[in-house]
Amino acid sequence: LIAVAVTYGYLAERYEIFHFEQMRTAEGFVRDLVAADPGPHHEEYADRQRPPIRLADPLDVGRLRSQMVEHVWGQDGFPHDSMPSSVEYDITGDRYERLEGLERIDRLTTTMEFGVDSIAYLFQPSNANGELVIYHQGHGGDFYLGTEIISYFLDRVYTVLALSMPLSGMNSQPSVVLTDFGAVDLVGHDHLALLKSDELSPIKFFLEPIARALNHIDADLDLADYHMVGISGGGWTTAVYAALDPRISTSFSVAGT
């Protein structure tokens, strides 16, 4: 079929047979469109790039953090007092039964606007060292994919908080009805942009579950230091969240995108 199509195209142009004029007209139309609006060039993209963020003194850190918080949460500010929507203690299941040195797992669920939620697991070792590692999975899916990493830190008696990105893993993929678009199934991160308004920045769906989980941990456990590591999209989340919350002592973004 491909050979026939290629042969027909060659013969149509060579001998100007059936539909040649229509094709030539269409070709001219496309060329005219491109000439009228050639689209962005590399130089134009370069002009659109934001300049790098530079910090001249420690006061700049606080000012920049305040601007970022306002961008994400608006007038509400950082959710210092917000807790997970529900907490289930000592859950059971066989997915993580082979983890050694594990005392219990708690499930922390945060439900946000439009039914977008985040399910995090808090892995508590038998002899905790008093430090927390936040592990954030990336675009690949559920944090179950990071079981080896979670096991690595549990073996070293760190408490581990594991999260997946919005709409991934065990997290919901709700259906919503929007004024401009009608019914939409939220299954990809690009869909979250449709929820943006003057009152809501979709970036909060990536960050607020971490803040609420840490607020719960602050109230429920006695841990001295919080560390954070993420891969891929979780690496991006790690870089951004660590800049927003000074409770994070050290952060490691792996292949952050």
Side-chain angles (χ1 to χ4, degrees), residues 93 187 209 215 223 252:
V187 296
N215 293 344
L223 301 178
F252 305 90

Side-chain angles (χ1 to χ4, degrees), residues 96 99-100 102 105 121-125 133-137 142-163 229:
Y96 300 100
L99 291 177
E100 297 181 0
L102 179 64
I105 301 175
Y121 275 17
L122 183 62
F123 298 86
Q124 300 194 44
V133 171
I134 306 164
Y135 171 70
H136 208 298
Q137 182 62 38
D142 196 282
F143 55 74
Y144 178 74
L145 299 173
T147 299
E148 290 187 9
I149 299 173
I150 295 170
S151 177
Y152 174 89
F153 288 114
L154 286 175
D155 288 345
R156 289 153 181 79
V157 293
Y158 286 93
T159 301
V160 180
L161 174 69
L163 304 99
V229 59

